[in-house]
Amino acid sequence: METLLKPSLPRITLSLKSQSQSQSHLLHLRPLPFIISCKLRTSQDGNISKKIMLSEVAPPPLSENASPEKNPPRRTTMLQRFPKRVLTVLSNLGLAIGEMSTIAALMALGTFIEQGEAPDFYMQKYPEDNPVLGFFTWKWILTLGFDHMFSSPVFLGMLILLATSLMACTYTTQIPIVKVARRWSFLSSSETIRKQEFSDSLPRASVKDLGVILMGAGYEVFVKGPALYAFKGLAGRFAPIGVHFAMLLIMVGGTLSAEGSFKGSVTVPQGLNFVVGDVLGPNGFLSKPTEAFNTEVHVNKFYMDYYDSGEVSQFHTDLSLYDIDGKEILRKTISVNDPLRYGGITIYQTDWSISALQVLKDGEGPFNLAMAPLQLNGGDKKLFGTFLPVDDPDSAKVKGISMLARDLQSVVLYDQEGKFAGVRRPNSKLPIEIDGKNIEVLDAIGSSGLDLKTDPGVPVVYAGFGALMLTTCISLLSHSQIWALQDGTTVIIGGKTNRAKPEFSSEVNRLLDRVPEIVEASSSSATSGG
């Protein structure tokens, strides 16, 4: 028998008084229409089922004076969720891969486009009438700053975006994973343990004996009553955070190198000097000079080594460094791939030239004749030349002896008509007669080509790469977890790992084989009595 009850509730007025009895408030309860559907059965049926269905009419407010400000506006909730949404977007793996791909493409483009040249160079090489790929001209290069790619706003902006993504991923993903991995989690249900990636049971064993075996295998073991929890390789969970930190170090170091360094080059004849600060120029807004910029560098001597064929094999410069008081603070002979370092400044041996020839003419002198580099048609050979007047140098037509040298070993001389006259080695003390003049080559004075640089980002980049290699190796470690539960004389074991799953199963099986079996005393006595 089914009965539908549709009661009509009258309006009810309640008078509520405060504790002070100073005032009263009326609370009006309006009738709420609802249907009660009851299905009644006799006692022979043994049960009664009830079903209550309320209408969807919204309940009225408790008071007409209720303030709507108690319910915060929806936009406040949106503002609270905005940072989380930003972190979710920034920590997206696809976005990070896209950022790294863009940075790699910009780096490749930076190796293709010549860096640090004058604007006229790019206008000639990338003209508007013949654009590369149909659109790429000098305007793109100068507007986007691709002439100094690694300090351009586009490149630095991508580095900042990638760094933000790494920090967001670390905050939203890696740190919570580590927090969860550090927790001791005992499982008190045998069914839960059997659902792990690896599960087994020992019918006659003790969970404490299992703990001893696991400790011997390098596990951290925790026992609480009949439950056991063990883990090892927790460092592998920390490694991704270390990888992210190492990548941030590399990017910070690269930014310091691009925006905080100084560079300069100079060619100094033997016997002369220069001040470091006069040569170095800043690269970016982070470049700050130091006290070492006041150091004076003196070129004591420049000389070269030669192959048996006569080609130059190596060149060296003997340098002395003096402080602002004129005191020598360091002296070293540098060569290619063997620079001098002092106060964060590195001086490289990069080039050479011949600055002057010292000669005697008819026993008079010595005369220092400046050598000038000569333009050759192709090749990377060097050639330097000078001219020794034999007539009045103030006359309209000056005649003289020409001298050419390709290195510091020998000098080729030509008479006034340009005919070959002979070859002399510097300091050979063998004069040569040309057009009635006795010429003796005393010395060939070389010039050292030096590159100077300060780069505060180098140690940071090295530290980043070292940390990256270390944390990458650590990340290969498996984080393994094992749970066990003593159920009577049976030990139920389960476990999982994040890497090397087949090896983990084999390892656990070997460890379980070493757990001693419990033998009942009565069985032992019966066996010995028989």
Side-chain angles (χ1 to χ4, degrees):
M1 177 179 64
E2 293 187 0
T3 303
L4 294 180
L5 302 179
K6 297 184 180 180
S8 176
L9 300 180
R11 182 183 300 271
I12 302 174
T13 302
L14 299 179
S15 177
L16 303 178
K17 294 184 179 181
S18 62
Q19 293 179 357
S20 62
Q21 303 294 328
S22 61
Q23 59 181 352
S24 62
H25 299 277
L26 296 180
L27 177 61
H28 300 283
L29 298 180
R30 299 179 181 178
L32 298 178
F34 59 91
I35 299 174
I36 301 178
S37 175
C38 301
K39 186 176 182 181
L40 305 178
R41 297 184 180 181
T42 61
S43 59
Q44 296 178 356
D45 296 336
N47 57 3
I48 299 176
S49 65
K50 302 178 180 179
K51 182 179 181 182
I52 300 177
M53 300 176 59
L54 296 178
S55 66
E56 297 180 356
V57 177
L62 295 178
S63 175
E64 295 179 358
N65 297 326
S67 175
E69 296 180 357
K70 291 183 179 180
N71 297 324
R74 187 174 182 83
R75 61 180 181 180
T76 303
T77 305
M78 295 297 294
L79 290 176
Q80 292 175 351
R81 294 179 180 178
F82 179 74
K84 294 183 179 180
R85 293 184 179 181
V86 173
L87 290 175
T88 302
V89 172
L90 289 175
S91 60
N92 183 267
L93 179 60
L95 177 62
I97 294 176
E99 293 165 354
M100 289 188 287
S101 300
T102 302
I103 292 173
L106 291 175
M107 294 175 65
L109 188 60
T111 60
F112 174 77
I113 300 175
E114 294 81 359
Q115 300 291 296
E117 300 291 342
D120 293 340
F121 173 84
Y122 301 103
M123 292 179 184
Q124 295 177 2
K125 189 162 185 179
Y126 304 95
E128 293 185 79
D129 55 355
N130 187 23
V132 180
L133 300 177
F135 70 95
F136 193 78
T137 64
W138 62 270
K139 289 185 177 180
W140 286 85
I141 297 176
L142 298 182
T143 302
L144 298 177
F146 287 172
D147 56 331
H148 48 280
M149 173 65 76
F150 304 103
S151 60
S152 65
V154 176
F155 188 81
L156 295 179
M158 290 304 304
L159 286 183
I160 294 174
L161 185 58
L162 178 59
T164 306
S165 294
L166 290 176
M167 290 187 290
C169 179
T170 302
Y171 178 76
T172 59
T173 304
Q174 301 301 333
I175 293 179
I177 289 178
V178 172
K179 289 182 177 179
V180 171
R182 293 181 62 186
R183 295 173 183 168
W184 302 352
S185 55
F186 294 97
L187 299 181
S188 57
S189 172
S190 58
E191 295 181 358
T192 305
I193 295 178
R194 288 192 175 95
K195 291 180 180 179
Q196 300 300 319
E197 297 174 356
F198 171 87
S199 63
D200 201 350
S201 61
L202 299 176
R204 296 177 180 177
S206 170
V207 72
K208 295 182 179 180
D209 293 338
L210 175 62
V212 174
I213 299 298
L214 292 176
M215 289 179 62
Y219 282 82
E220 295 286 339
V221 180
F222 306 92
V223 178
K224 182 179 180 181
L228 175 146
Y229 172 69
F231 73 89
K232 73 173 181 178
L234 185 59
R237 288 297 190 184
F238 285 93
I241 299 178
V243 170
H244 290 179
F245 178 73
M247 294 180 66
L248 290 174
L249 279 181
I250 295 172
M251 289 186 286
V252 170
T255 303
L256 285 177
S257 297
E259 293 293 338
S261 61
F262 287 82
K263 290 183 180 180
S265 60
V266 63
T267 301
V268 187
Q270 176 178 302
L272 298 184
N273 51 24
F274 65 93
V275 178
V276 170
D278 296 339
V279 176
L280 290 174
N283 279 351
F285 65 94
L286 296 177
S287 301
K288 304 296 180 183
T290 62
E291 294 183 359
F293 280 45
N294 297 322
T295 304
E296 185 177 5
V297 182
H298 183 76
V299 179
N300 300 313
K301 185 179 180 181
F302 174 78
Y303 60 97
M304 294 188 291
D305 297 333
Y306 302 92
Y307 294 112
D308 295 338
S309 61
E311 299 290 334
V312 177
S313 64
Q314 181 64 280
F315 35 98
H316 312 265
T317 304
D318 182 10
L319 299 176
S320 290
L321 272 60
Y322 296 89
D323 60 15
I324 196 172
D325 298 325
K327 180 181 178 181
E328 186 180 50
I329 52 179
L330 181 64
R331 182 169 183 173
K332 180 181 179 180
T333 299
I334 67 172
S335 58
V336 178
N337 298 325
D338 184 18
L340 180 148
R341 293 182 173 87
Y342 171 76
I345 301 170
T346 306
I347 304 178
Y348 298 91
Q349 180 75 73
T350 57
D351 202 0
W352 65 272
S353 66
I354 303 176
S355 60
L357 282 181
Q358 194 175 74
V359 299
L360 293 175
K361 182 178 71 172
D362 293 333
E364 297 178 356
F367 302 99
N368 289 327
L369 306 178
M371 298 284 283
L374 303 179
Q375 189 71 29
L376 298 179
N377 295 328
D380 56 353
K381 302 293 183 180
K382 291 187 176 185
L383 185 63
F384 303 87
T386 190
F387 183 78
L388 176 63
V390 295
D391 294 331
D392 184 5
D394 297 329
S395 62
K397 295 182 179 180
V398 180
K399 293 184 178 181
I401 300 170
S402 300
M403 304 179 189
L404 301 178
R406 67 173 186 174
D407 50 41
L408 302 179
Q409 292 187 107
S410 59
V411 179
V412 182
L413 297 92
Y414 298 86
D415 60 15
Q416 300 181 41
E417 303 298 329
K419 296 180 180 180
F420 174 76
V423 179
R424 287 294 183 269
R425 288 182 176 273
N427 202 26
S428 63
K429 299 181 180 181
L430 294 176
I432 181 173
E433 184 177 351
I434 304 174
D435 297 330
K437 306 291 184 178
N438 285 325
I439 307 299
E440 182 180 347
V441 181
L442 297 180
D443 194 10
I445 302 174
S447 293
S448 178
L450 305 174
D451 277 4
L452 285 76
K453 182 181 72 171
T454 67
D455 194 343
V458 169
V460 181
V461 172
Y462 283 175
F465 274 108
L468 183 63
M469 291 186 290
L470 178 61
T471 53
T472 301
C473 294
I474 295 176
S475 65
L476 299 178
L477 298 177
S478 300
H479 177 234
S480 304
Q481 298 173 282
I482 294 177
W483 292 269
L485 185 64
Q486 185 81 53
D487 186 7
T489 60
T490 302
V491 177
I492 303 170
I493 303 102
K496 66 178 181 178
T497 185
N498 62 335
R499 301 181 188 276
K501 299 182 183 299
E503 289 78 4
F504 173 72
S505 299
S506 301
E507 178 192 17
V508 176
N509 284 323
R510 289 195 301 269
L511 295 176
L512 296 182
D513 291 339
R514 296 168 53 188
V515 177
E517 182 179 359
I518 298 177
V519 180
E520 296 180 0
S522 59
S523 300
S524 302
S525 301
T527 304
S528 59

